[in-house]
Amino acid sequence: MTVTETSEVMAASQSAPSERGVRRDIATLVTGAGGEVGHGLIAALHAAGRKDIIAIDIRALDDRQRALCRETYVGDICETALLGRLQSMYEITEVYHLAALLSTRTEFVPEAAHAVNVGGMFNLLRLAADQARSHGKRVRFMFPSSIAVYGLGDLKTKNRAGAIGEDQYLQPTTMYGCNKVYCENLGRYYARHYRQLAQDRMDHILDFRCIRFPGLISAETVPCGGTSDFAAQMVHAAAEGKPYACFVRPDTRMAFMTMPDAIEAFLRLAGADAGHLSRCVYNVTSFNPSAAEFADLVREYFPAARISFEPDPQRQAIVDSWPVDVDDTAARTDWGYSPKHDLRSAFEEYLVPNVTARYAKS
Ligand code: SER
């Protein structure tokens, strides 16, 4: 429950052997812990009784989140020195690698984003593989990918394609999407083929499991930096009594799900019997309204909502390259994916009560 700056981590690790003896503490590592998914995930892991969470984020976590973690660290996943210190202090059995720059933010600084999204992933996979070799047990590595891995070319293709499967249309137009496709492949490589020609190869060193999330809508956090943000931003603005100019056209259609369903799916996949998993990477989805249909629902629940449409051509092009829907049959069949919320109940049971309460407080 303490925040440790990088320099303190170094100090702690330098004195680690005498203080801690030869046995390191068992830990579940969560990166990007302060982000939208991190908030929900840490709360859910803690609620499930996990007392071994160590969390990293580039910024200090808030007090509420810190209280749910065993230890928190402020630092950059590109800093191998920090990760090395964690290696010396913990026996990491599970990694939830959430840290990334999202699709909109990435298009301003593609090279820097590549360093975080790909370089960071590489560092974490390497850490997990080193851990598995040092404690002799397979490390579970959970990775959130995205519908941004898809690239449908043009609107006609997007509309014709309908719900697409995991292996179709993998030609993303964003750096974020390219990063995610490559990271999925890196994870699969470490899980199935790592050091395949080496004499001392340890079989299946990582248990890599990945979900391609659609746009996520959280009542607890307001998204920024992503291109699917318009739906959640519309609801939050309405609840806060602020006008909202939607940056995509009213007819824009893509897949979404609520944050609680996303967290539940991630944890369900993490806990699934490995023998039932036919693939490393799974699509999931819940509903796919057009932006106009979504705005109509927001107006139904918040009659004073002031929503306008002012499409941004560049961000529109990104959403136009993402599928209208994805086929999540494999997730439903292999590990029982079954979202609780459809579009109506997402509003009724989750978004409206929670965003209303959130802005009533402030
Ligand atoms: N929500 C992400 C983004 O908009 C896509 O997965 O970048």
Side-chain angles (χ1 to χ4, degrees), residues 36 101-105 145-149 176 180 212-216 223-229 254 256 315 318-319 322:
E36 282 213 282
L101 261 70
L102 291 179
S103 58
T104 289
R105 183 121 37 240
S145 186
S146 160
I147 48 154
V149 296
Y176 175 74
K180 287 289 188 189
R212 280 187 196 147
F213 286 114
L216 300 179
C224 70
T227 319
S228 63
D229 293 356
M254 62 169 280
F256 286 99
R315 292 180 97 187
I318 292 176
V319 185
W322 292 349

Side-chain angles (χ1 to χ4, degrees), residues 69-97:
C69 299
R70 160 131 193 225
E71 192 88 40
T72 64
Y73 297 91
V74 178
D76 187 336
I77 51 164
C78 296
E79 255 181 65
T80 50
L82 166 61
L83 299 180
R85 303 302 185 268
L86 295 183
Q87 296 253 46
S88 74
M89 285 150 54
Y90 298 104
E91 185 174 311
I92 296 167
T93 56
E94 197 167 14
V95 177
Y96 290 82
H97 175 39

Side-chain angles (χ1 to χ4, degrees), residues 252-300:
T252 306
R253 193 177 291 281
M254 62 169 280
F256 286 99
M257 71 195 298
T258 63
M259 189 60 79
D261 275 338
I263 302 301
E264 159 66 25
F266 215 29
L267 293 179
R268 186 180 279 254
L269 175 60
D273 182 340
H276 293 153
L277 302 183
S278 60
R279 39 186 321 126
C280 289
V281 176
Y282 288 91
N283 280 341
V284 296
T285 184
S286 299
F287 42 79
N288 66 334
S290 68
E293 289 162 357
F294 198 86
D296 285 345
L297 271 169
V298 174
R299 290 190 195 101
E300 186 180 323

